Amino acid sequence: MTRTTMTRTIDAPLEDVFNTVADISQYSEAVPHIVKIEFLTESKTGVGTRFRETRLMKGKEAATELEVTEYVENDRVRMVADSHGTVWDSLFTVRSENGKTNLTLIMEARAYKFLPRLMNPLIKGMVAKAVGMDMDMVKAHCENQQK
């Protein structure tokens, strides 16, 4: 298993930051390399919501199906994907501090096939860089909403 943790301090209300990461429609507005969202359930937010997210990665489209498995409003949201022999478990949490919002993401990659067990530790830096860019875009999006 590999684990990546990162935090951004965002000059925006906690509710706005939470809604940006917990509502995939808003998240896709904040992260422009998400080029398409297809909901696979009637629900658009909350536990049980399933969707297919298509991103541009190195000039190519890559689709991943995710499910919201935990949702506590204005506190945390967990999204899980099972892709190419790895379960990707992403937990976003929000906390208020000194009038700003700390957004933390803990992403765990649990490989259950042989090749991903070898490869995931090797690509951890690349994944962390991509996730960090997403977090930076969420921060910029939320802060620009305040202007």
Side-chain angles (χ1 to χ4, degrees):
M1 176 178 73
T2 63
R3 175 182 251 190
T4 302
T5 302
M6 52 188 57
T7 300
R8 297 294 185 272
T9 300
I10 303 173
D11 191 9
L14 180 138
E15 296 81 8
D16 293 352
V17 175
F18 178 80
N19 288 332
T20 299
V21 295
D23 179 341
I24 191 59
S25 296
Q26 289 189 42
Y27 189 72
S28 64
E29 288 177 21
V31 181
H33 52 268
I34 298 175
V35 295
K36 185 175 174 185
I37 296 293
E38 299 169 81
F39 286 97
L40 306 174
T41 56
E42 287 188 30
S43 62
K44 306 281 193 249
T45 62
V47 171
T49 300
R50 291 181 45 244
F51 58 94
R52 182 176 302 115
E53 171 190 280
T54 303
R55 291 175 174 247
L56 273 180
M57 295 171 52
K58 295 187 177 185
K60 296 181 182 178
E61 289 189 359
T64 305
E65 288 186 18
L66 295 106
E67 180 174 359
V68 177
T69 61
E70 187 175 357
Y71 183 99
V72 178
E73 190 170 354
N74 297 323
D75 184 62
R76 65 186 175 275
V77 63
R78 181 184 305 270
M79 296 177 206
V80 177
D82 186 336
S83 178
H84 299 96
T86 300
V87 173
W88 299 88
D89 184 336
S90 302
L91 176 65
F92 290 95
T93 59
V94 290
R95 299 283 179 265
S96 288
E97 187 175 313
N98 301 321
K100 296 186 180 187
T101 302
N102 286 333
L103 173 65
T104 300
L105 170 62
I106 301 170
M107 177 185 277
E108 293 182 349
R110 294 184 296 271
Y112 59 87
K113 289 188 176 177
F114 179 72
L115 190 56
R117 284 185 190 148
L118 296 175
M119 294 301 296
N120 287 355
L122 300 175
I123 65 168
K124 182 179 180 179
M126 183 176 68
V127 170
K129 182 178 178 183
V131 170
M133 287 174 39
D134 286 3
M135 294 282 282
D136 292 340
M137 289 180 214
V138 167
K139 175 180 169 63
H141 176 81
C142 290
E143 289 177 349
N144 287 335
Q145 296 291 326
Q146 300 307 304
K147 294 178 181 180

